[in-house]
Amino acid sequence: MAQCRLTDFFARRRPRPRAASSWAKRTWRTPSPAKLEPSAPAPTKGGSRKRARPSAEPAREELTRDEPAPPARRKLRLPADAVSDPASPAASGSPEHSSPSKKTKKVISAGQLPNLAPQEDKVPSKATFSELKLCLQRARELGARVQELRTSTQRNDAGESSTPEAKEHPAGPCGEKAPAYQRFHALAQPGLPGLVLPYKYQVLAEMFRSMDTIVGMLYNRSETVTFAKVKQGVQDMMRKRFEERNVGQIKTVYPTSYRFRQERNVPTFKDGFKKSDYQLTIEPLLDQEIGNMVPQLTASRLLQRRQVFSQNLVERVREHHRAFLASLNPPMVVPEDQLTRWHPRFNVDEVPDIEPAELPQPPTTEKVATAQEVLAQARSLMSPRMEKALSDLALRTAKPSSPGSPSPELPATPPATPPAPLKGVSQDLLERIRAKEAQKQLAQMTRRPEQEQRLQRLERLPELARVLRSIFVSERKLALTMEVACTRMVGSYHTAMSPGEMEKHVQLLSELLPDWLSLHRIRTDTYVKLDKAADLAVVTARLACLARAEAL
């Protein structure tokens, strides 16, 4: 069934002959105000049910008299003059607002037009203008404050960028706080704890590796190695600043690695250096090879020198660690061959920087700075009168030597007093507690990596015993194969673990508690048998006691 149009509906409601004539003679012209009064209704045809149209202004009538009528389905659109001035009377009487459709005539009816005028004629009051002025003043103040904060932030950033070495040296002379990734670098290292180097020492070791690589490349092709070439290469490799201070630190750690000299007439191809200027040259110290051949800095030598440098860095940290152990109460002494990790309270990243060694400096030409030096050099070239004047000037400019002030005596170190929470506790009890704690820390520092892995497995055994017993209860079997048991335990344990690692835990569990868990080798498979009647609380308590005894 076809859908009927709204225009067809109006056509059907009218008489046939009148509808045809009205449709043909429709002009859509606005009636003239001269012919019709504003209060009189618009003339309508006999069979039509249309409402009376509002009267239009004469100006709008002359503008729209010869224009074609808009289609019946066009939406209501305000003209440009009505949008710019909504209070104008022309906007209310425009024929463009009228439409032959029923909805448009309802919206622009005669009863609704008077209600629009008082709403559009409203003018903002004085209170509104005062509020706007206050808001504008507040916005200006906030903008000025934001600009000041932005300027101060830019100044702070410029001050930080002017000291780029502050990041490489956590404890700078200005006392700036180092970032967290440097202060807690030792705690964030993966793997088992060991003799971890501080962050700044690791950066220095990486600098030595880069420097040794570049020096080896230049030295192997018989090219003079200068600090300018090495500096540019190291900075390109590490993306960090490399200065003579770092070279001095490398010389302090590994004195027999290079020979440094100040030389002239070194060929350079840069605008910043002259051939007559002194330059710092670097030459690696290598053992003489058999056959009087020129030694080469090969890959094996580079690896060996790198290992020596790392060992020297570890030895420097050991010295600070020994001083820390001697300052404890009671003092501790750990054999160097048994030390596998640092003391728990020893802050590795707070180890002081390595003092740079002195590098050869270019010879300085003697410059005359005082009148006495001028008098000493040109005594034979001056007249007696000028010599007397210069001697008088030297006496006037010389400052009397002030007697050295005696250095103040440092106050004696007060005796160590116990802290406030420990007042009233006997000294013997404190000594016993400290001795026991020192013994525990000594055992922890001398523990091997194999022992550390065993302790970690012992700590997991109580939980694994509960998981294994629940698997046997759910399976309702007296024995399970090792593969099935380990697979089920891996799926039930809260930490990710491989089946091979879980098998090692099961074997350790059978070694510690052979009466509760036993392993039986039958042909190519290993079966696990568990005593379900045993009390699980007793089993876990025994495992916890064994773990504590092993840790001591």
Side-chain angles (χ1 to χ4, degrees):
M1 179 177 178
Q3 186 177 2
C4 297
R5 296 184 179 180
L6 185 62
T7 55
D8 297 341
F9 172 75
F10 282 113
R12 289 176 184 176
R13 297 286 293 176
R14 299 173 183 172
R16 289 289 178 180
R18 299 293 297 270
S21 62
S22 63
W23 191 263
K25 297 180 181 180
R26 188 171 298 169
T27 58
W28 295 95
R29 290 185 179 181
T30 306
S32 176
K35 297 179 181 181
L36 298 175
E37 296 178 2
S39 61
T44 58
K45 298 192 178 182
S48 175
R49 294 187 180 182
K50 295 183 180 179
R51 297 183 180 179
R53 294 181 180 178
S55 59
E57 294 293 332
R60 295 299 298 174
E61 179 185 2
E62 294 177 1
L63 291 175
T64 60
R65 183 177 299 276
D66 299 330
E67 293 180 359
R73 291 181 178 273
R74 183 174 295 178
K75 294 183 179 180
L76 178 62
R77 294 181 181 178
L78 294 176
D81 54 355
V83 174
S84 60
D85 190 7
S88 62
S92 60
S94 174
E96 295 180 9
H97 290 250
S98 61
S99 174
S101 64
K102 195 171 184 179
K103 288 186 178 181
T104 311
K105 292 175 182 178
K106 288 184 179 180
V107 172
I108 316 180
S109 60
Q112 292 180 355
L113 285 175
N115 297 333
L116 296 175
Q119 295 179 1
E120 295 177 353
D121 293 336
K122 289 183 179 179
V123 180
S125 61
K126 295 182 179 180
T128 308
F129 285 117
S130 61
E131 291 177 359
L132 289 176
K133 288 182 180 180
L134 291 177
C135 292
L136 182 60
Q137 184 179 1
R138 180 62 177 170
R140 289 175 181 174
E141 293 177 358
L142 291 176
R145 187 176 179 183
V146 168
Q147 188 67 21
E148 293 177 359
L149 292 176
R150 189 178 300 171
T151 306
S152 61
T153 305
Q154 292 177 358
R155 291 177 181 174
N156 295 338
D157 294 343
E160 292 178 0
S161 61
S162 62
T163 58
E165 294 185 357
K167 294 184 178 180
E168 298 181 8
H169 310 290
C174 300
E176 296 179 358
K177 192 174 183 180
Y181 73 91
Q182 295 183 13
R183 289 185 282 116
F184 307 106
H185 175 263
L187 301 178
Q189 295 304 307
L192 297 175
L195 301 179
V196 184
L197 290 175
Y199 176 79
K200 47 194 172 186
Y201 282 22
Q202 290 193 2
V203 171
L204 188 63
E206 188 66 18
M207 286 182 177
F208 175 77
R209 185 189 68 83
S210 304
M211 177 180 175
D212 219 24
T213 302
I214 296 171
V215 169
M217 293 172 57
L218 299 176
Y219 179 77
N220 290 341
R221 60 190 185 199
S222 301
E223 185 176 346
T224 305
V225 184
T226 61
F227 173 72
K229 301 176 182 178
V230 175
K231 176 182 179 180
Q232 185 63 34
V234 172
Q235 290 183 161
D236 292 342
M237 291 177 66
M238 295 192 60
R239 305 296 179 185
K240 293 180 180 292
R241 294 190 61 180
F242 186 71
E243 304 292 343
E244 290 189 8
R245 180 179 182 275
N246 304 121
V247 179
Q249 290 178 337
I250 291 174
K251 183 179 179 181
T252 302
V253 176
Y254 195 178
T256 60
S257 58
Y258 301 105
R259 181 187 292 113
F260 301 96
R261 289 192 296 264
Q262 287 286 345
E263 297 183 5
R264 299 175 62 182
N265 299 326
V266 178
T268 57
F269 302 96
K270 294 185 178 181
D271 298 336
F273 297 95
K274 297 181 180 179
K275 192 174 181 181
S276 59
D277 294 343
Y278 283 94
Q279 296 190 51
L280 180 64
T281 59
I282 305 170
E283 180 184 357
L285 297 177
L286 304 175
D287 297 334
Q288 189 68 24
E289 294 182 353
I290 301 175
N292 296 327
M293 296 179 63
V294 178
Q296 297 288 324
L297 200 54
T298 59
S300 59
R301 290 179 183 270
L302 290 174
L303 183 59
Q304 181 182 1
R305 289 159 64 90
R306 183 181 177 184
Q307 292 175 354
V308 172
F309 191 84
S310 300
Q311 292 175 2
N312 293 348
L313 287 177
V314 173
E315 187 59 32
R316 284 187 167 271
V317 182
R318 284 177 186 268
E319 294 177 1
H320 295 285
H321 186 252
R322 283 194 294 267
F324 174 79
L325 295 179
S327 63
L328 295 177
N329 186 17
M332 298 176 61
V333 178
V334 182
E336 294 297 332
D337 55 344
Q338 298 180 7
L339 183 66
T340 58
R341 69 183 66 190
W342 309 120
H343 193 275
R345 293 203 299 269
F346 177 65
N347 197 341
V348 184
D349 293 303
E350 288 187 358
V351 173
D353 290 347
I354 299 174
E355 293 295 331
E358 294 184 1
L359 299 175
Q361 300 296 329
T364 57
T365 57
E366 188 176 357
K367 295 181 180 180
V368 178
T370 61
Q372 292 182 355
E373 294 178 359
V374 174
L375 183 61
Q377 290 185 0
R379 187 178 297 274
S380 60
L381 303 177
M382 293 184 297
S383 61
R385 186 176 179 181
M386 184 178 293
E387 182 179 354
K388 183 179 179 182
L390 286 175
S391 58
D392 294 342
L393 179 61
L395 292 175
R396 286 198 302 270
T397 57
K399 295 181 180 180
S401 58
S402 59
S405 59
S407 59
E409 298 181 358
L410 297 177
T413 305
T417 57
L422 298 180
K423 287 184 178 180
V425 183
S426 63
Q427 194 68 20
D428 297 338
L429 179 59
L430 291 177
E431 293 296 334
R432 288 198 300 270
I433 293 173
R434 287 169 183 166
K436 188 175 181 180
E437 184 181 359
Q439 182 181 1
K440 183 178 179 180
Q441 293 171 353
L442 180 61
Q444 186 178 1
M445 286 187 292
T446 57
R447 192 177 297 152
R448 297 296 176 183
E450 297 82 7
Q451 298 176 355
E452 185 68 26
Q453 291 181 356
R454 181 180 174 86
L455 282 177
Q456 291 179 358
R457 291 171 185 169
L458 285 173
E459 292 176 355
R460 300 191 191 107
L461 286 185
E463 183 66 24
L464 290 176
R466 297 189 189 94
V467 173
L468 185 59
R469 187 179 183 278
S470 64
I471 291 174
F472 269 88
V473 171
S474 62
E475 291 291 337
R476 297 181 181 180
K477 294 182 180 180
L478 297 178
L480 293 173
T481 60
M482 179 68 76
E483 183 179 359
V484 173
C486 292
T487 304
R488 300 291 175 83
M489 292 176 70
V490 167
S492 302
Y493 194 56
H494 58 81
T495 305
M497 197 179 302
S498 62
E501 185 67 21
M502 187 63 71
E503 185 176 352
K504 294 179 181 178
H505 286 77
V506 175
Q507 292 176 358
L508 181 60
L509 194 59
S510 65
E511 292 176 6
L512 298 177
L513 301 176
D515 54 342
W516 183 68
L517 182 69
S518 58
L519 303 179
H520 302 276
R521 183 78 177 177
I522 300 176
R523 294 180 183 177
T524 59
D525 295 335
T526 302
Y527 288 86
V528 182
K529 189 175 181 180
L530 184 69
D531 184 10
K532 300 180 184 179
D535 189 3
L536 186 59
V538 176
V539 173
T540 54
R542 289 173 60 184
L543 291 174
C545 292
L546 290 174
R548 285 196 298 269
E550 192 84 14
L552 296 177

